Structures are given as structure tokens and as C-alpha cells.
Amino acid sequence: TQLLEQSPQFLSIQEGENLTVYCNSSSVFSSLQWYRQEPGEGPVLLVTVVTGGEVKKLKRLTFQFGDARKDSSLHITAAQPGDTGLYLCAGGRSGGSNYKLTFGKGTLLTVNP
Amino acid sequence: SAVISQKPSRDICQRGTSLTIQCQVDSQVTMMFWYRQQPGQSLTLIATANQGSEATYESGFVIDKFPISRPNLTFSTLTVSNMSPEDSSIYLCSVRFMSSYEQYFGPGTRLTVT
């Protein structure tokens, strides 16, 4: 079974603080995706990383894929209340019709004004 | 990307009944999936909906309990049969294009079984 461990599970911070969420596995993934899910909504895709060592930036969010493609991190700079939500990482393996995502358990982030 | 809609958005059902959830996509997609997200939990893949053939189920999920149809490239249904309170969950439709790693999710159907 491929496991994706996310940490921390819960995070409550003040507006303006920085934070990092980690996603770790012993397995190698073809790709890794980060989603944000708000209450009552489906997960919204934030980014996909596919190359070891890859770094992608989305405004105040920075995503990194580990060199060995086994881990990833999400860093948020100057967090805002609108960043509140459940952050999920998902790793993909195999290709074509056999490609499937394995999800981590998520990090529930609360940004207090 | 793809725009995905699901019906119903939520429902409260009695034990022993069945509910069919519909998923409509605004473009022809290769892969369609159904996930379950139990309260406070992450996403668990139920099955891959295959066009014109039987769905491919993950371990722990069976066709008799979760029959799935996919008559074309833009539409699928998931039925939750003979429901029990343990089936209370959010059910999510998801799609992916064959040539891409990106996978997109619908808004979900929140099911409560009493």
C-alpha cells in the first residue's frame, strides 16, 4: 500500500504568519498534486509537479517536489484568512488507464484574522 | 481543465433505500472516477467508471453495493444501494484526460443516512 503522510494534521496560525505543510512517502511518484478543499466543496487543484526538485510558485504559495520524487512541501507566505481550508497532497503512479492518485489525510489550516 | 457538476448536492436518506448520484462534465474526458470522503477523512477511491463496460472497483468496494454506469464520455452515475448510516459520506466525481496528470473534482454529494 502506498502511503502519503501529511504533517501537521492541524495548523492554526495568525494572519501574516508563514507556514509549511509536508507530504512524505517511501514510494516514488510519477507526479504529485496539491489540492485545497473548503467546507461543502470538492477539492480544487492547486498545482501538479512531475520533475524531481521542481519548484512551482502560485502567488504566495510555493510547492516543491523532492529530488527523489517521494516527498513534497507547500509553503505559504504571509497567510491570509482566505487560505483557510483542508490541504491535500496526492501522489500518482503508473500511466495511462492504470494511473491512480493516492491521497494523504490532509492538513486542516485555519488562519485567524 | 473541466467543469464538473453533480446531482444532488446533498440528500438525507432512510436506511435500506438507494440513491443515484449523477456526474456531468462539460467536455469529453477519458477517465472518470468516484471517491468517498467520510467525515474528517481523506479521499478513498471507490472505482473507475469505464465507458461502455463494467467499472473497475477498488479493494473493499463491490458492484452490488455501488453500481456505476458510464454511457458516454461526459456522464456517469454512482448508486449507493441498501444504505446504512455507515454510508453517510461525501461522494465525489473526478475526471482526468488521458494525456494529463491533472485530475479535477466535482463539488460532491453530501449523503446522510438515517
Side-chain angles (χ1 to χ4, degrees):
Chain A
T1 303
Q2 310 161 30
L3 291 179
L4 270 173
E5 301 289 339
Q6 274 190 250
S7 62
Q9 188 176 355
F10 301 97
L11 189 56
S12 180
I13 61 172
Q14 294 299 121
E15 183 175 1
E17 293 183 3
N18 302 331
L19 67 115
T20 302
V21 176
Y22 299 94
C23 179
N24 296 296
S25 174
S26 58
S27 300
V28 176
F29 291 100
S30 305
S31 70
L32 197 133
Q33 302 182 7
W34 285 92
Y35 293 84
R36 180 170 65 217
Q37 185 178 23
E38 298 185 22
E41 305 287 333
V44 174
L45 179 64
L46 297 174
V47 77
T48 299
V49 286
V50 297
T51 304
E54 183 176 3
V55 176
K56 282 192 175 180
K57 292 192 175 184
L58 183 65
K59 296 185 180 177
R60 293 175 294 101
L61 278 61
T62 301
F63 304 87
Q64 185 162 9
F65 202 12
D67 291 341
R69 292 186 290 136
K70 294 182 180 180
D71 55 86
S72 181
S73 64
L74 158 60
H75 182 79
I76 301 179
T77 303
Q80 299 177 359
D83 296 327
T84 294
L86 178 68
Y87 288 81
L88 295 158
C89 68
R93 289 192 70 189
S94 300
S97 60
N98 295 320
Y99 182 88
K100 293 178 186 176
L101 291 182
T102 299
F103 279 84
K105 291 190 174 182
T107 294
L108 187 58
L109 171 65
T110 303
V111 182
N112 303 297
Chain B
S1 65
V3 178
I4 305 166
S5 60
Q6 286 185 233
K7 291 181 182 179
S9 59
R10 60 176 61 231
D11 207 341
I12 301 173
C13 300
Q14 299 244 341
R15 181 196 299 259
T17 62
S18 298
L19 175 72
T20 295
I21 303 167
Q22 298 180 4
C23 175
Q24 180 74 54
V25 190
D26 69 339
S27 54
Q28 293 188 350
V29 291
T30 311
M31 309 296 290
M32 294 184 77
F33 308 92
W34 287 98
Y35 286 80
R36 181 173 73 183
Q37 186 177 28
Q38 295 181 304
Q41 301 295 315
S42 189
L43 280 68
T44 300
L45 179 62
I46 297 172
T48 302
N50 301 309
Q51 189 213 350
S53 64
E54 193 171 288
T56 305
Y57 290 84
E58 296 301 303
S59 176
F61 298 96
V62 295
I63 187 172
D64 290 345
K65 176 68 177 176
F66 297 102
I68 289 170
S69 78
R70 187 179 174 191
N72 56 53
L73 291 176
T74 63
F75 185 79
S76 178
T77 66
L78 168 73
T79 299
V80 186
S81 303
N82 188 24
M83 289 183 284
S84 67
E86 292 70 35
D87 295 320
S88 296
S89 188
I90 300 172
Y91 291 86
L92 293 153
C93 174
S94 181
V95 304
R96 183 170 67 87
F97 299 95
M98 179 67 80
S99 60
S100 171
Y101 289 118
E102 275 78 22
Q103 192 163 319
Y104 303 94
F105 285 83
T109 296
R110 184 179 295 272
L111 170 63
T112 302
V113 184
T114 60

